Amino acid sequence: MLGNRSDRRSISIAICLAVSIGLVALVRARQAAPADASVLFRIIVVSTAEKAQQVRQELIGGASFAALARKESIDPSADRGGLIGPVPLAELREELRDVLRTIDVVSVSNVITLPTGFAIVQREQQTRGSSLRGSEILALSAAGAVRATVSVDGFGEANTALNSLQKPDDWNQSPRMICDLRQQSVGNVKTALARRLGPDLADTRARFAASDVMEGFSAYGQLLAYDGDMTGAIAQFEQAYRIAQTDMPGAIPDLLQSLGVAHLHKAEMENGLYHAPGDRCLLRVHGGRSLEKSADLDKASGYFLKLLDSTPNDIEAKWLLNVAYMATGGYPEQVPARHRIATEAFASTEDVGRFVDVASTAGIDSFSSAGGVIVDDFDNDGRLDLFTSNFDSCGKMQLFHRTEQGTFVDRSVQAGLADQLGGLNLIQADYNNDGCRDVLVLRGGWELAQRKSLLRNNCDGTFTDVTAASGLAKPATSTQTAVWVDIDNDGWLDLFVGNEDAPSQLFRNRGDGTFDDIGVAAGVARTAFTKAVHAGDYDNDGFPDLYVSNLRSTNFLYHNNGNRTFTDVAVKAGVPGADRGFPAWFFDYDNDGWDDLFVSSYFLSIEETARSYMGLPPNGQTMKLYRNLGNGSFRDVTTDANLAKVYMPMGSNFGDIDNDGFLDIFLGTGSPSYAALKPSVLLRNKDGKSFVDVTVSSGTGEMHKGHGVAFADLDNDGDEEIVFKVGGATPGDAHAFRLFENPGNGNDWLEVNLVGVKTNRAAIGARITAAIEDATGATRSVHRTVNSGGSFGASPLQQHLGLGKAARRVDLEVFWPVSGTRQRFANVAKNRAIEIHELSDRIVPLTRKPAPLGGSRGK
């Protein structure tokens, strides 16, 4: 017998992870699913046939399927009433697939015998909002001809374990409890699998098919990989591989790939790449120093070569083989010619100077999983600080204070942040107009719903969690994206939150420290799997509009009607996105005074990214650049701008790396899988006409997972550094922080800090225009809107304006949306920091003393 209910449940979770029933979305879909219907259904799994018949009779008698599932089912879906999907029928076990093809909606099936027990299923009517959970979305990321990357990370398994654990009410309102339950749930499943695949292996082999035992070893390997135990993970994958060789030859390609990835990740960990990355974690196209411990690299290459022997056109295996040789220093010469990716695929056609990572010497001691980053002045001392979060449910936030000497000091404990655990993204604002930057922490992205945290800056170096008091704590949602925006121009910042498989929320600021969700009345409470939201006034009518980027559907462009309601005009305006969106933002890339739109695509596919580098046509949609035509519509200029590529971007932002006045783009790339080794991408804006890849020449091609990104002049020398939060979704993929120091460019600049009086104090939404005359007499304009930049990572609200070479005269205009006023200042001195207050007729000079970043090169 399996023991008590709790024990049975843990084992059920473990075996479900192995055999892909109930947790159908954890199937590692390397091949595109054949065309077939998708289904939404409920399932109840019990231990005996007698119990199953009893449950079925209760259902036929009118009992609630969802209620009985919660009460009786030992399947991981029990906590959500047994609900599964929608999911393609082709991804289900044959027993389930056959039944679900034949029964009608709401009919109750006969009892089905499964490896985990005895099941009854019921079809559900699919609705517009029906969808999978975040971890399931990741696993089912193949779309059409797009091949999903092999998954070696345990992220989906860990999420399933947490989802299946019995949890107390309001568990997701406490970051500490979320941490404890995460550790408990993963531990339970690992223990159950260890027993079933260890001392009880003979019994397991007798009771289950060889394919199920193979999947059990694979699932256990995934969970060990989740925690970074790559030696243990490899041992389990090897067990699965041995079974596949005799009983499941169709599984051999995936297991070869998994073993190669596991050895590659192990080699990187053992050589200290994650703690002390340096240049070793960058895209290297001309050899370089080999990793000292190379045994696992050789094994990884061996597995990839073995796979390529049987499937020579496997682009993912070819890419990873080349990456492995980059780590040994043997790329390109030692890569077998038939599998070699030409160095020209990565070449930069322009040289913007070499950025060097100075995070360690600057005192930024941060090693963590994925997370967000804010760069801003949190104590009003004129120096920019760093605020970071940690996606690990038990990971701590960090606040790094910038000292007068130029280094950073961790002030997290003193700031009162010790209990603020987890958080995938962060954004700053001054929501109460007291002159101090507050912080919003976003949790639950790709996971179960969790509370946000609104941290009020007390203006004394400390923060207070006011989430519950402000009205933002409930309901908890799964989110990583939000934007502060004054939707009604009343001088108080409102908050728009994009959620995953739940309605978006629009919190109106009452001006007394509390918020009211008006999303339904405003017309923006639509349900989608939202990954980015951003605000901008695309039609220049003085009211901010909202853009929503969704992973599996058309994006939304909400036009602000000026009366606290919005109308979706995305299709009419020509900005539907790529149907699989992630980062997105408004910015004026061509400096014509109209906000344009950058909208990414997001496929969890190494192959798609490799195809872009190798000059092969993509199977999935590329990222999009929409140029604002100034008449309420946009034109897709993606191809003209040289952006018709697939890069798998996550954390991303924009800034001006060379002070030419045109906004450049930095894309942090990746996915949870340890196989997702691909460079971050730095794209230089060429005069507002096109973008050129300068990743290699700039030295910014970090191969590991890129999350929070910010641009900021941290050393006050007039050019913007790239601040980069690196780290994956699991504890086994934590990484050191990156701070890429700008080498300098000699162009002119201005730092402009705006202070609202009638407009919100942080001046979010105010617009700046710099009219520039150069030494030849030529004139042009640079346009900026006050915000924190892209949708994953936050730059300072103080705006940096590149002025180009030899600016002879600079005239400034500031538009304030609440007062409707325009301030004009003639012949403003360049290469300095200034402050402008709304309704004031003077410029206030700011003292910004240059302070080298620790090991700064002295530009």
Side-chain angles (χ1 to χ4, degrees):
M1 297 298 291
L2 295 178
N4 60 37
R5 177 177 172 81
S6 176
D7 189 34
R8 289 200 312 273
R9 192 170 180 79
S10 294
I11 292 175
S12 175
I13 296 166
I15 299 300
C16 279
L17 286 167
V19 300
S20 301
I21 65 159
L23 303 178
V24 291
L26 292 176
V27 173
R28 307 293 168 176
R30 289 290 310 281
Q31 303 294 334
D36 207 342
S38 64
V39 290
L40 182 71
F41 66 98
R42 295 184 187 272
I43 187 169
I44 295 174
V45 181
V46 293
S47 301
T48 67
E50 293 77 14
K51 181 66 175 178
Q53 289 293 352
Q54 176 187 332
V55 169
R56 184 172 184 272
Q57 289 305 314
E58 290 185 55
L59 293 170
I60 292 173
S64 164
F65 199 106
L68 272 180
R70 292 187 180 94
K71 178 183 178 183
E72 302 288 355
S73 182
I74 61 174
D75 186 76
S77 62
D79 287 347
R80 57 183 185 277
L83 188 63
I84 299 290
V87 64
L89 274 167
E91 305 241 348
L92 296 172
R93 292 183 64 89
E94 184 177 359
E95 304 97 312
L96 290 170
R97 186 168 62 241
D98 291 346
V99 170
L100 289 168
R101 276 188 173 135
T102 59
I103 63 174
D104 297 327
V105 172
V106 308
S107 295
V108 176
S109 74
N110 290 321
V111 175
I112 310 164
T113 302
L114 296 171
T116 54
F118 300 88
I120 307 101
V121 296
Q122 180 184 62
R123 285 279 299 272
E124 289 279 319
Q125 180 69 48
Q126 295 190 44
T127 64
R128 185 182 183 88
S130 300
S131 56
L132 299 168
R133 301 188 312 280
S135 58
E136 296 169 335
I137 296 291
L138 287 170
L140 289 177
S141 59
V146 175
R147 288 182 57 203
T149 295
V150 64
S151 182
V152 180
D153 52 77
F155 179 63
E157 286 83 351
N159 274 353
T160 300
L162 178 61
N163 183 65
S164 304
L165 187 72
Q166 293 288 351
K167 298 177 282 290
D169 293 341
D170 282 348
W171 68 275
N172 56 15
Q173 292 295 312
S174 166
R176 177 63 61 183
M177 184 174 291
I178 294 169
C179 163
D180 292 342
L181 292 174
R182 166 72 76 184
Q183 292 181 323
Q184 177 187 344
S185 60
V186 172
N188 287 350
V189 178
K190 287 168 66 176
T191 299
L193 278 169
R195 183 175 65 250
R196 269 299 186 186
L197 301 173
D200 295 343
L201 181 57
D203 178 62
T204 301
R205 284 185 177 276
R207 293 185 57 195
F208 297 97
S211 59
D212 296 332
V213 179
M214 180 195 72
E215 292 290 351
F217 280 117
S218 182
Y220 189 22
Q222 291 285 347
L223 284 169
L224 292 171
Y226 173 82
D227 284 328
D229 179 3
M230 301 314 298
T231 299
I234 289 168
Q236 301 305 313
F237 292 153
E238 287 174 342
Q239 291 270 35
Y241 181 58
R242 281 191 280 272
I243 296 174
Q245 287 178 303
T246 57
D247 296 291
M248 293 289 294
I252 288 176
D254 267 4
L255 287 166
L256 286 173
Q257 198 87 309
S258 296
L259 281 162
V261 170
H263 278 289
L264 186 52
H265 192 69
K266 180 172 180 276
E268 291 185 319
M269 293 179 73
E270 290 185 344
N271 282 276
L273 266 65
Y274 292 88
H275 282 275
D279 287 348
R280 299 182 300 168
C281 286
L282 302 180
L283 174 64
R284 297 189 291 169
V285 297
H286 299 294
R289 182 164 62 93
S290 173
L291 300 184
E292 294 179 2
K293 300 177 181 179
S294 60
D296 282 287
L297 288 175
D298 295 338
K299 290 179 180 178
S301 297
Y303 282 118
F304 298 140
L305 284 169
K306 189 170 184 177
L307 178 57
L308 286 165
D309 285 343
S310 58
T311 54
N313 295 321
D314 189 319
I315 293 178
E316 176 178 317
K318 183 177 295 188
W319 175 274
L320 290 171
L321 177 67
N322 281 262
V323 169
Y325 274 102
M326 288 180 186
T328 66
Y331 173 86
E333 292 83 4
Q334 296 177 20
V335 183
R338 66 188 182 281
H339 301 313
R340 184 185 305 142
I341 298 175
T343 58
E344 290 77 16
F346 308 104
S348 297
T349 58
E350 294 185 2
D351 187 356
V352 295
R354 187 78 175 180
F355 288 65
V356 174
D357 179 13
V358 297
S360 179
T361 54
I364 304 174
D365 183 14
S366 177
F367 180 81
S368 76
S369 301
V373 64
I374 302 171
V375 181
D376 218 316
D377 184 357
F378 288 102
D379 52 5
N380 291 333
D381 64 355
R383 295 185 295 273
L384 294 172
D385 310 302
L386 299 181
F387 204 122
T388 74
S389 65
N390 190 337
F391 184 49
D392 186 332
S393 297
C394 300
K396 295 182 179 180
M397 294 181 187
Q398 291 180 285
L399 172 61
F400 291 98
H401 169 71
R402 180 91 156 117
T403 68
E404 192 171 351
Q405 292 72 35
T407 57
F408 289 89
V409 178
D410 190 337
R411 293 276 179 83
S412 310
V413 174
Q414 297 91 323
L417 301 174
D419 292 328
Q420 292 297 329
L421 307 178
L424 185 51
N425 201 6
L426 304 162
I427 53 172
Q428 82 276 37
D430 182 1
Y431 79 93
N432 55 0
N433 286 338
D434 65 354
C436 301
R437 301 287 195 248
D438 311 298
V439 174
L440 179 74
V441 184
L442 300 162
R443 297 187 179 88
W446 303 114
E447 299 184 297
L448 301 181
Q450 298 169 29
R451 63 163 280 179
K452 311 167 189 68
S453 285
L454 178 60
L455 307 179
R456 186 188 67 209
N457 190 333
N458 299 320
C459 300
D460 61 0
T462 68
F463 292 81
T464 298
D465 188 330
V466 296
T467 318
S470 69
L472 298 182
K474 295 183 179 181
T477 61
S478 297
T479 181
Q480 65 170 56
T481 184
V483 62
W484 292 100
V485 53
D486 185 356
I487 63 160
D488 50 6
N489 285 339
D490 66 353
W492 296 93
L493 286 171
D494 311 300
L495 178 66
F496 181 57
V497 180
N499 293 312
E500 298 174 0
D501 288 339
S504 293
Q505 298 163 297
L506 179 56
F507 294 100
R508 181 172 179 265
N509 191 333
R510 294 191 180 106
D512 60 359
T514 66
F515 295 82
D516 180 32
D517 187 355
I518 63 168
V520 174
V524 297
R526 295 172 67 181
T527 296
F529 200 89
T530 298
K531 298 307 296 178
V533 295
H534 208 256
D537 184 4
Y538 78 90
D539 55 357
N540 288 349
D541 66 353
F543 286 92
D545 311 296
L546 301 170
Y547 193 76
V548 181
S549 177
N550 302 314
L551 186 61
R552 292 174 299 137
S553 63
T554 299
N555 295 345
F556 312 142
L557 172 60
Y558 289 124
H559 175 258
N560 191 328
N561 300 321
N563 59 1
R564 298 178 187 159
T565 69
F566 293 80
T567 301
D568 180 13
V569 296
V571 175
K572 178 181 177 181
V575 290
D579 293 329
R580 294 188 67 84
F582 203 156
W585 57 70
F586 289 99
F587 72 152
D588 188 356
Y589 83 94
D590 55 0
N591 280 323
D592 66 353
W594 296 88
D595 272 344
D596 311 297
L597 266 170
F598 172 81
V599 183
S600 74
S601 62
Y602 187 67
F603 296 92
L604 279 77
S605 173
I606 290 177
E607 177 175 318
E608 287 305 292
T609 297
R611 294 178 74 88
S612 287
Y613 278 104
M614 296 165 66
L616 301 173
N619 294 311
Q621 288 202 50
T622 69
M623 54 189 176
K624 300 291 184 182
L625 180 66
Y626 296 113
R627 182 173 180 269
N628 194 331
L629 301 179
N631 60 2
S633 66
F634 295 75
R635 183 167 70 89
D636 186 339
V637 296
T638 308
T639 301
D640 295 342
N642 194 33
L643 292 179
K645 298 172 184 176
V646 180
Y647 281 132
M648 200 189 288
M650 299 187 300
S652 310
N653 214 323
F654 57 86
D656 187 354
I657 60 169
D658 51 5
N659 282 341
D660 66 352
F662 291 97
L663 292 169
D664 312 301
I665 296 173
F666 187 76
L667 304 175
T669 66
S671 76
S673 178
Y674 299 161
L677 294 167
K678 51 187 60 184
S680 301
V681 180
L682 181 58
L683 302 169
R684 179 179 177 265
N685 186 336
K686 296 189 65 174
D687 303 321
K689 297 181 175 63
S690 65
F691 289 80
V692 60
D693 188 335
V694 294
T695 304
V696 172
S697 68
S698 64
T700 57
E702 167 63 58
M703 295 293 289
H704 296 131
K705 315 304 166 49
H707 285 90
V709 175
F711 286 78
D713 181 9
L714 283 174
D715 51 6
N716 294 330
D717 66 351
D719 47 50
E720 290 188 299
E721 276 67 54
I722 299 175
V723 184
F724 193 19
K725 177 75 170 181
V726 184
T730 67
D733 210 10
H735 199 284
F737 198 91
R738 290 284 211 174
L739 172 54
F740 290 114
E741 184 186 15
N742 195 314
N745 46 70
N747 286 345
D748 295 320
W749 54 275
L750 268 179
E751 290 277 351
V752 182
N753 188 58
L754 299 184
V755 179
V757 176
K758 291 188 175 181
T759 300
N760 67 88
R761 181 75 175 268
I764 290 175
R767 307 183 73 156
I768 304 169
T769 300
I772 306 159
E773 179 183 320
D774 65 22
T776 69
T779 60
R780 64 189 181 95
S781 295
V782 170
H783 299 270
R784 297 288 183 271
T785 300
V786 177
N787 57 42
S788 58
S791 57
F792 201 153
S795 300
L797 296 177
Q798 173 178 293
Q799 295 299 295
H800 181 93
L801 282 69
L803 305 176
K805 291 187 181 300
R808 185 168 67 183
R809 178 187 174 95
V810 180
D811 297 333
L812 282 184
E813 178 180 284
V814 181
F815 171 70
W816 299 90
V818 174
S819 63
T821 58
R822 294 183 185 274
Q823 295 167 301
R824 295 180 175 87
F825 303 93
N827 206 15
V828 176
K830 64 184 181 181
N831 298 333
R832 64 172 181 161
I834 61 175
E835 186 168 276
I836 298 173
H837 292 243
E838 187 177 13
L839 306 178
S840 174
D841 60 0
R842 69 187 186 93
I843 288 176
V844 179
L846 297 176
T847 300
R848 293 288 188 266
K849 180 181 177 182
L853 291 165
S856 178
R857 296 162 289 176
K859 294 168 282 187

